[in-house]
């Protein structure tokens, strides 16, 4: 399953970046901090603290140059906060990179309103049969498309198979079963769920998952500003989160999910983690966790009427 998914994601990366290169080679590259050749552009990104991303971007840039004659050189920022401030300062200037990673949906709107990104609708139209409409919609503002994915990631629960087997825990199908799994892990002195504030963005992940567990549409409305954080349904999600914290179902937030996630997994420092599909290959497998030791399931909703849903990242 994982091998097949990885192949699909790789094709998405290759195609998305290649299509971007086709578009941008029609315009004159602007001045950048990184050295450029006549056939290279700069791809700015915020993954400087994850070197495997930078390495992947480098390979894709070389692949694009060999395939279509125009490649790109990745330029990394060491943190997301710094990257966002750098990009907001550079985009209105001649130092703006031709290519840069950003966040889809509502985060794109600010850049569109300021005229800082190009309309790529004609490229999406050309390759309309190769992408699901939902991916295109994530980059669409007022009927025009302003970006492409470099990958599409899904956010399930990854769990330690040998640990679950040892404690007699089955993959949870309901919220009640998920809570029971947490209780068994806690009783065995294993923190049930890994969490971290080392990467500040991760602080919102469980909140988002629990709001979706109440109603996926509620999460969308909350992001769009159509619902207040004081809404009773949002408060319910916060209450459930607080209850899980109070019961000790999360690790200490000083834990680092990324630099030593694989080591912690192999030493049964936690039982489960809610993270993107990239966590499987770039953290767990890369840091020595055996494929057979990794299980996965979709977090059941605490509100049965919500049915199962999963976050995606693109």
């Amino acid at each position: 399953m994982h091998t097949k998914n990885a192949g699909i994601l790789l094709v998405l990366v290759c195609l998305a970046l290649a299509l971007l290169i086709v578009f941008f080679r029609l315009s004159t590259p602007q001045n950048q901090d990184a050295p450029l050749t006549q056939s290279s552009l700069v791809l700015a990104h915020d993954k400087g603290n994850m070197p495997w991303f930078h390495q992947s971007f480098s390979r894709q840039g070389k692949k694009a140059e060999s395939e279509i004659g125009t490649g790109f050189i990745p330029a990394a920022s060491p943190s997301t906060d710094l990257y966002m401030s750098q990009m907001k300062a550079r985009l209105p200037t001649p130092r703006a990179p031709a290519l840069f990673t950003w966040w889809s949906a509502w985060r794109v709107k600010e850049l569109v309103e300021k005229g800082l990104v190009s309309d790529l609708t004609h490229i999406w139209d050309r390759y309309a049969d190769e992408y699901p409409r939902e991916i295109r919609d994530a980059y669409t503002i007022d009927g025009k498309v302003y970006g492409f994915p470099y990958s599409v990631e899904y956010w399930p629960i990854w769990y330690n198979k040998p640990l679950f087997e040892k404690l007699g825990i089955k993959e949870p199908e309901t919220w009640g079963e998920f809570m029971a799994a947490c209780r068994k892990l806690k009783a065995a002195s294993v923190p049930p769920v890994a969490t971290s504030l080392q990467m500040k963005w991760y602080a919102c992940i469980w909140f988002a998952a629990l709001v979706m567990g109440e109603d996926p549409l509620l999460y969308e409305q909350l992001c769009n500003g159509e619902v207040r954080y004081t809404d009773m349904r949002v408060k319910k999600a916060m209450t459930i989160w607080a209850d899980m914290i109070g019961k000790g179902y999360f690790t200490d937030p000083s834990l680092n999910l990324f630099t030593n996630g694989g080591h912690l997994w192999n030493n049964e420092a936690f039982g489960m983690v809610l993270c993107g599909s990239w966590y499987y290959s770039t953290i767990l497998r890369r840091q020595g966790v055996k494929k057979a030791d990794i299980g996965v399931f979709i977090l059941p909703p605490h509100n049965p009427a919500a049915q199962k849903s999963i976050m995606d990242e693109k």
Side-chain angles (χ1 to χ4, degrees):
M1 178 185 74
H2 298 292
T3 303
K4 181 179 180 182
N5 288 348
I8 293 172
L9 292 178
L10 181 59
V11 170
L12 265 175
V13 171
C14 294
L15 181 58
L17 291 178
L19 293 179
L20 281 169
I21 291 297
V22 169
F23 173 77
F24 281 107
R25 73 179 297 186
L26 300 177
S27 60
T28 303
Q30 300 169 345
N31 293 329
Q32 309 293 338
D33 291 339
L36 290 177
T37 66
Q38 199 168 22
S39 60
S40 295
L41 304 174
V42 163
L43 168 67
H45 67 89
D46 69 326
K47 311 298 186 197
N49 62 334
M50 299 181 182
W52 49 90
F53 272 98
H54 193 81
Q55 294 162 6
S56 177
F57 287 147
S58 294
R59 289 194 298 270
Q60 294 301 328
K62 293 175 182 177
K63 179 68 173 179
E65 184 169 7
S66 67
E67 291 290 329
I68 63 175
T70 302
F72 55 87
I73 299 171
S77 181
S79 71
T80 298
D81 290 348
L82 178 60
Y83 176 73
M84 293 181 75
S85 61
Q86 287 176 334
M87 292 304 298
K88 287 181 178 180
R90 289 184 179 184
L91 286 177
T93 75
R95 297 176 62 207
L99 306 173
F100 63 99
T101 63
W102 205 248
W103 294 267
S104 58
W106 61 273
R107 284 189 179 271
V108 179
K109 191 173 183 180
E110 178 186 3
L111 304 186
V112 173
E113 291 174 345
K114 293 181 179 179
L116 300 177
V117 288
S118 298
D119 178 4
L120 307 181
T121 307
H122 63 289
I123 300 180
W124 277 97
D125 289 342
R126 191 184 311 168
Y127 295 93
D129 294 338
E130 299 184 34
Y131 286 88
R133 182 75 193 196
E134 291 78 8
I135 296 178
R136 173 175 178 151
D137 289 346
Y139 299 91
T140 301
I141 304 291
D142 295 330
K144 296 180 180 179
V145 197
Y146 293 94
F148 280 96
Y150 65 80
S151 68
V152 178
E153 311 284 353
Y154 296 94
W155 283 66
I157 296 281
W158 304 97
Y159 72 92
N160 190 316
K161 269 189 173 182
L163 181 59
F164 269 47
E165 290 171 1
K166 182 170 66 175
L167 297 177
I169 303 173
K170 296 181 179 179
E171 285 188 11
E173 290 291 334
T174 66
W175 182 256
E177 291 176 358
F178 176 70
M179 287 289 97
C182 288
R183 288 194 295 271
K184 281 191 176 183
L185 288 162
K186 177 70 175 175
S189 299
V190 178
V193 182
T195 191
S196 177
L197 293 182
Q198 294 301 303
M199 300 287 183
K200 288 183 286 187
W201 56 264
Y202 191 82
C204 73
I205 297 302
W206 267 94
F207 170 70
L210 291 171
V211 171
M212 288 177 59
E214 177 61 27
D215 182 355
L217 180 59
L218 174 64
Y219 178 72
E220 183 178 338
Q221 292 170 333
L222 190 63
C223 289
N224 291 335
E226 299 168 9
V227 169
R228 294 179 180 272
Y229 282 84
T230 53
D231 185 286
M232 292 304 297
R233 296 167 297 169
V234 178
K235 287 185 176 182
K236 178 183 174 183
M238 290 288 287
T239 300
I240 292 171
W241 191 17
D243 181 63
M244 292 176 67
I245 294 171
K247 289 177 177 176
Y249 288 170
F250 291 102
T251 60
D252 189 294
S254 64
L255 175 145
N256 196 310
L257 287 172
F258 308 100
T259 58
N260 60 350
H263 170 76
L264 295 169
W265 181 287
N266 285 331
N267 285 276
E268 298 184 352
F270 61 86
M272 299 174 279
V273 59
L274 172 60
C275 214
S277 46
W278 49 265
Y279 197 77
Y280 170 83
S281 57
T282 61
I283 304 295
L284 297 179
R285 296 287 289 124
R286 184 178 288 268
Q287 294 181 13
V289 178
K290 297 177 182 178
K291 182 178 180 180
D293 290 349
I294 304 172
V296 61
F297 63 87
I298 296 174
L299 179 66
H302 56 85
N303 176 13
Q307 301 184 340
K308 283 188 178 179
S309 60
I310 189 168
M311 291 186 284
D312 68 18
E313 177 184 5
K314 51 185 178 287

